[in-house]
Amino acid sequence: MVVTPRERLAGLLGGAKKAGAFSARLEAPVAGLGLEVAGVGPVRLPLRAPQVKRLISVARPALFGRGEQTLSDTRVRDTWQILPDQLSLAGPSWPSLLSGALEHFRDALGLPAATRLRAEPHAMLVYGKGQFFLPHQDSEKDDAMVGTLVLSLPSAHTGGELVVEHAGHQCVYSASKTDLTLVAFYADCRHQVTPVRTGYRVTLTFNLLAEPGTSAEASGPLAELAHSLRRHFGSPAKPRYGTRELDPPTRLVYLLDHEYTQRGLSWERLKGADAGRAALLRAASGQAGCESVLALAEVKETWDAYPEGDDPWDDHGYDGYDEDDDGDAGEDGEVGDAGEDGDYVFQELIDDEITLGWWTGPDGTGGEEILLRVQDYEVCASTESADLTPYDSQYEGYMGNYGNTLDRWYRRAAVVVWPRERAFAARGEAGSRWALEELRVGIARGDLDRARDQARSLAPFWKHTRPQPELLDCALQVAAGLDEAESAAMLLEPFQVGALGSEHAGGLAAAAERYGTGWMRPVVDAWFASEHRLQPQQDQWTERLPELCAALRAHRAPAVARLLSAGVWAAVDSSLRLWTTTRPAEIRRAQLQQLALPLRRVLAAADEELRDGILAALREREDTVLECLMPLLRHAAEASTSTERGVAGLDVIARNCADRLRAVCERPPRAADDWSVAWAGCGCELCGVLGAFLGSRSRRVLEWPLAKEGRRHVHTRIDSAELPVRHLTRRQGRPYTLVLTKTQELFTCEQTVRSQAAADLAWLMSVRNG
């Protein structure tokens, strides 16, 4: 099997430096520590019960953190705590003891030799019989914090072991009864204190802070790493699934082993093997003509898995299939917390998602939030995520045709590398705000050729971005400043029409003046494309349309105003065509009422030519359009300003509505013996029979022997058209008989329509005459 450059990189980095341990232990003589506690005095070692009880008298129950909260719950943490300002650590040997211990732990944990560790006192903890602390992970309380140091004071006790876990491995530490016991571990390790069975467990805890010393030059196979980077960026990308080769990748994402916070993410504070590997990759990147940044990654993996001891083929294979099964998945179909991953058998990785949410600047300083989904052909790691401990997992059992899957989530840091010549596109894909601002600054300082090259580099992915609406003003400035029609259109097209406001009139006018109306038309069409199409029931944006179009005309860009108002009318008209011919009436009426305000606003924004076209189209609609036009006229009559009440075209709509309403009122009433119903079916033989029955003036009942599929078709036609016909099935004989009966609703509906038309006409005349 051919080894890809990514795989070669991961292998080289994996062997770059022997990984340090995630935790380490050291013992020291008690003479090295002089300890005093306020309210207690000097503490004599080893500890005895009477002295521990005096310590408890000046302590308080310990708290713990959960998210942003600080909580007290003895079901989670049951121990006593003495704060650091109550403690005094001294003794002639203490500084040298601590200094030597910190050097030991620096090397044991695999931190760079130049790193200087500092121990910041955090608390004294006293555990009595039965007290404990459930598994948890320490929060990084300082940007420089990399771990925790626990110093156990000697005492006679049983239980109270410190259990530290990382990446599926576990270390259990017991304290000495005669010497000081020091244990250090990384801050992203889960750990717990088991219940004390007898005696007392007393510890001092410290935050371990890493401070950079003189940078040590990275060593290792730099030339081979640099060569692998060049091959990675020069070879076609090959997705895990699929045979088609893609363009060479834009970036390489190398996943590190440990977790970090945004504040704690820096080249100088990397933990364990991460430090050596990252330094080596950073040096190789520079040698290969690349830039590198540190990033935070969210990893989700979906595995084909099943509970240990449960063979998935036993219950769900072919031999066990029951055709009469009602489809209830039962317990196997439940979704739940996966608990310990060791309880599951992993078979195959189905899918993974890796998203970068934060990265530093290329110079290693600062940082910014991003959102970048990276592809499988861009990622490598020396330690697979499956070998680490997830922060969350969820199992879904067998569901008939899917299931037996285990989802696992991880937080990992990463080194992200890209060629310098592709740096703008690599960063721009992760953050449209940064890209647009960089282009704007470049244009402002006159570096137009470079800005154009940078803009072109965004083209392969920019159309898939969803830039924030507040970036439109900057995008319009950049589009006009580029003086390159194709790139300018590309930058603007991903925005949604709802981002537009009157404040953008100047930028729109400038772009249209630079490139012409012919250029502007496809840009506006893209804003009104199906994925951005204005939803009439969400009419907030159309409220700004009249003011925007007025501002555009003031900026001498009437053609742009016409394009935008025509785009809104096209959306409204499409909805009118749909809903004026839709039943049932309740749904149709609600949808048409929601179109009233957008229609009024597009009339206010339209120029005379477009407005005449809108009025002509409305006259062609069925009478059901009244359910939109009458609410429109009522809204206008109730408007608070003369501008809203005096929208051009409303008088024409009012006259048209009056004519329609008079025609309804003047229709002769239905004769008492006229049971005919006007209806047009789909043209099939069944609809022909149904249509003949409906068209009969005298026939009220039809008994129709009809097979199941035929009955279903007739039921559907009657219900969808809301016909005044009751339809029941008499389940006797073969086939069953469908009994159709015309109802009095045929008369009452017409009377209701006539009454409503009369009331609407009276209101309309009163408003016009008033």
Side-chain angles (χ1 to χ4, degrees):
M1 182 176 178
V2 177
V3 176
T4 67
R6 284 184 301 114
E7 294 167 337
R8 180 60 180 157
L9 279 161
L12 288 169
L13 291 168
K17 177 181 177 181
K18 187 176 185 294
F22 61 85
S23 65
R25 183 179 189 272
L26 179 69
E27 288 190 3
V30 295
L33 174 64
L35 173 63
E36 290 190 20
V37 177
V40 176
V43 176
R44 294 174 59 86
L45 301 176
L47 290 167
R48 299 288 184 265
Q51 193 171 32
V52 176
K53 291 177 181 177
R54 291 180 61 196
L55 293 173
I56 292 174
S57 71
V58 299
R60 67 183 187 186
L63 306 177
F64 65 94
R66 178 176 292 161
E68 299 297 325
Q69 297 178 297
T70 301
L71 307 173
S72 175
D73 186 345
T74 55
R75 295 171 299 177
V76 176
R77 186 183 195 186
D78 186 5
T79 185
W80 299 97
Q81 174 176 291
I82 297 174
L83 298 179
D85 57 7
Q86 297 173 258
L87 306 174
S88 175
L89 299 172
S93 302
W94 172 245
S96 61
L97 186 156
L98 181 60
S99 175
L102 293 177
E103 287 188 12
H104 167 79
F105 289 127
R106 178 199 64 201
D107 296 337
L109 295 177
L111 290 166
T115 298
R116 177 176 173 269
L117 283 181
R118 181 165 58 87
E120 179 184 77
H122 179 253
M124 172 183 272
L125 302 175
V126 182
Y127 291 82
K129 184 178 179 180
Q131 291 187 300
F132 62 92
F133 196 172
L134 291 181
H136 62 286
Q137 181 176 324
D138 289 341
S139 58
E140 298 187 12
K141 306 169 187 69
D142 187 281
D143 290 357
M145 182 174 170
V146 295
T148 298
L149 173 64
V150 179
L151 190 161
S152 296
L153 303 180
S155 66
H157 69 275
T158 60
E161 290 88 0
L162 174 62
V163 182
V164 185
E165 301 176 355
H166 182 70
H169 299 283
Q170 182 183 91
C171 290
V172 180
Y173 298 102
S174 299
S176 169
K177 296 179 181 180
T178 57
D179 292 325
L180 300 175
T181 305
L182 296 89
V183 175
F185 52 87
Y186 281 121
D188 60 341
C189 294
R190 286 181 63 80
H191 55 284
Q192 63 175 307
V193 177
T194 64
V196 173
R197 296 192 296 275
T198 62
Y200 294 92
R201 175 186 187 266
V202 182
T203 65
L204 298 171
T205 60
F206 303 80
N207 299 325
L208 278 181
L209 309 180
E211 298 176 348
T214 304
S215 298
E217 183 179 352
S219 59
L222 280 181
E224 191 168 359
L225 279 170
H227 176 68
S228 295
L229 283 171
R230 294 188 192 98
R231 284 185 58 216
H232 172 73
F233 292 119
S235 305
K238 297 180 180 179
R240 180 189 301 129
Y241 305 113
T243 57
R244 186 170 64 92
E245 291 187 342
L246 307 177
D247 291 337
T250 301
R251 65 187 63 80
L252 172 81
V253 178
Y254 176 73
L255 297 175
L256 301 174
D257 290 0
H258 287 273
E259 293 182 33
Y260 301 84
T261 63
Q262 290 180 5
R263 292 184 305 170
L265 185 65
S266 73
W267 297 101
E268 295 82 11
R269 299 188 187 117
L270 297 177
K271 306 167 185 175
D274 289 355
R277 292 169 179 172
L280 192 56
L281 181 55
R282 189 183 192 189
S285 299
Q287 196 172 104
C290 298
E291 292 179 352
S292 55
V293 300
L294 290 172
L296 298 179
E298 178 90 1
V299 180
K300 177 190 175 184
E301 291 188 343
T302 300
W303 285 85
D304 182 5
Y306 60 89
E308 208 169 58
D310 178 16
D311 185 344
W313 297 106
D314 286 349
D315 298 323
H316 310 299
Y318 176 80
D319 293 337
Y321 180 76
D322 182 358
E323 291 186 2
D324 295 326
D325 192 291
D326 61 5
D328 185 1
E331 293 183 357
D332 283 336
E334 294 179 359
V335 176
D337 186 9
E340 295 295 329
D341 283 337
D343 296 336
Y344 292 86
V345 177
F346 291 77
Q347 300 193 101
E348 182 182 0
L349 179 64
I350 298 173
D351 192 18
D352 62 357
E353 296 177 11
I354 300 175
T355 305
L356 304 183
W358 173 272
W359 62 23
T360 64
D363 60 356
T365 62
E368 62 178 332
E369 288 189 1
I370 58 172
L371 182 61
L372 180 63
R373 168 82 179 271
V374 295
Q375 304 300 322
D376 62 89
Y377 51 80
E378 298 175 313
V379 181
C380 67
S382 299
T383 304
E384 297 298 330
S385 293
D387 296 329
L388 302 174
T389 301
Y391 73 82
D392 194 14
S393 56
Q394 189 175 74
Y395 177 73
E396 183 169 16
Y398 185 74
M399 300 293 287
N401 59 358
Y402 69 95
N404 278 349
T405 57
L406 180 65
D407 290 333
R408 308 171 97 207
W409 288 267
Y410 308 82
R411 296 187 183 100
R412 302 183 68 171
V415 179
V416 185
V417 182
W418 54 69
R420 286 195 184 95
E421 67 271 14
R422 303 183 209 168
F424 185 83
R427 295 191 67 186
E429 188 173 0
S432 51
R433 181 185 299 276
W434 176 88
L436 289 171
E437 185 61 27
E438 285 291 304
L439 289 172
R440 188 189 66 78
V441 170
I443 293 170
R445 65 170 176 254
D447 196 353
L448 194 55
D449 289 339
R450 184 167 183 266
R452 288 170 178 165
D453 288 340
Q454 290 175 332
R456 293 185 202 112
S457 73
L458 302 176
F461 56 82
W462 191 258
K463 63 182 177 182
H464 302 298
T465 63
R466 290 290 179 267
Q468 300 93 327
E470 61 268 23
L471 299 180
L472 179 56
D473 188 59
C474 181
L476 286 166
Q477 293 179 44
V478 170
L482 282 174
D483 198 18
E484 186 173 83
E486 186 175 352
S487 294
M490 176 269 295
L491 291 174
L492 293 178
E493 285 174 358
F495 286 90
Q496 298 187 19
V497 68
L500 292 170
S502 58
E503 66 273 17
H504 300 118
L508 288 166
E513 182 180 7
R514 177 65 53 87
Y515 303 114
T517 305
W519 170 88
M520 196 78 206
R521 183 174 289 107
V523 173
V524 173
D525 288 345
W527 293 344
F528 283 101
S530 58
E531 61 267 30
H532 303 323
R533 177 62 63 96
L534 173 72
Q535 298 298 320
Q537 67 269 29
Q538 299 172 348
D539 63 345
Q540 294 88 344
W541 178 72
T542 59
E543 187 175 4
R544 305 196 297 271
L545 180 65
E547 186 180 359
L548 170 59
C549 289
L552 284 166
R553 294 184 182 103
H555 281 84
R556 299 181 180 179
V560 181
R562 173 69 183 276
L563 288 172
L564 291 172
S565 52
V568 177
W569 164 240
V572 173
D573 187 39
S574 174
S575 296
L576 280 173
R577 291 173 183 273
L578 171 65
W579 293 114
T580 52
T581 57
T582 296
R583 296 175 184 271
E586 288 184 4
I587 297 175
R588 179 192 70 231
R589 190 175 299 114
Q591 294 292 335
L592 289 173
Q593 286 174 352
Q594 289 177 347
L595 288 168
L597 281 176
L599 178 56
R600 190 183 81 187
R601 290 162 182 164
V602 75
L603 283 169
D607 57 24
E608 184 177 357
E609 182 182 354
L610 177 60
R611 189 180 306 115
D612 288 345
I614 293 172
L615 297 174
L618 292 175
R619 284 193 294 270
E620 298 299 319
R621 298 288 173 265
E622 297 183 15
D623 281 350
T624 47
V625 77
L626 288 166
E627 294 169 352
C628 171
L629 300 183
M630 289 305 299
L632 180 152
L633 294 172
R634 291 180 186 276
H635 282 310
E638 296 166 1
S640 58
T641 66
S642 58
T643 301
E644 292 179 296
R645 291 192 298 271
V647 171
L650 291 185
D651 55 337
V652 177
I653 290 176
R655 288 195 299 271
N656 178 253
C657 288
D659 292 342
R660 290 176 184 264
L661 294 169
R662 285 194 197 93
V664 173
C665 293
E666 292 171 359
R667 290 174 190 159
R670 177 181 287 272
D673 61 349
D674 181 7
W675 290 92
S676 62
V677 180
W679 178 77
C682 68
C684 71
E685 184 178 350
L686 293 175
C687 284
V689 175
L690 178 60
F693 164 67
L694 293 172
S696 172
R697 291 174 59 91
S698 58
R699 195 174 182 187
R700 289 193 59 193
V701 179
L702 171 64
E703 296 190 359
W704 190 358
L706 198 58
K708 180 178 180 179
E709 289 304 316
R711 296 197 307 272
R712 180 179 299 166
H713 181 73
V714 175
H715 287 314
T716 301
R717 290 295 170 182
I718 292 174
D719 288 341
S720 63
E722 291 187 308
L723 297 175
V725 176
R726 184 170 62 251
H727 44 105
L728 301 173
T729 300
R730 184 190 303 143
R731 300 180 181 277
Q732 296 176 350
R734 282 288 187 268
Y736 292 161
T737 300
L738 179 62
V739 181
L740 306 181
T741 306
K742 297 175 185 175
T743 68
Q744 279 295 133
E745 191 180 354
L746 176 62
F747 296 91
T748 58
C749 282
E750 287 195 6
Q751 293 167 2
T752 300
V753 170
R754 190 186 307 276
S755 298
Q756 183 63 53
D760 286 343
L761 183 59
W763 174 84
L764 195 54
M765 292 299 99
S766 69
V767 171
R768 292 180 67 183
N769 295 332

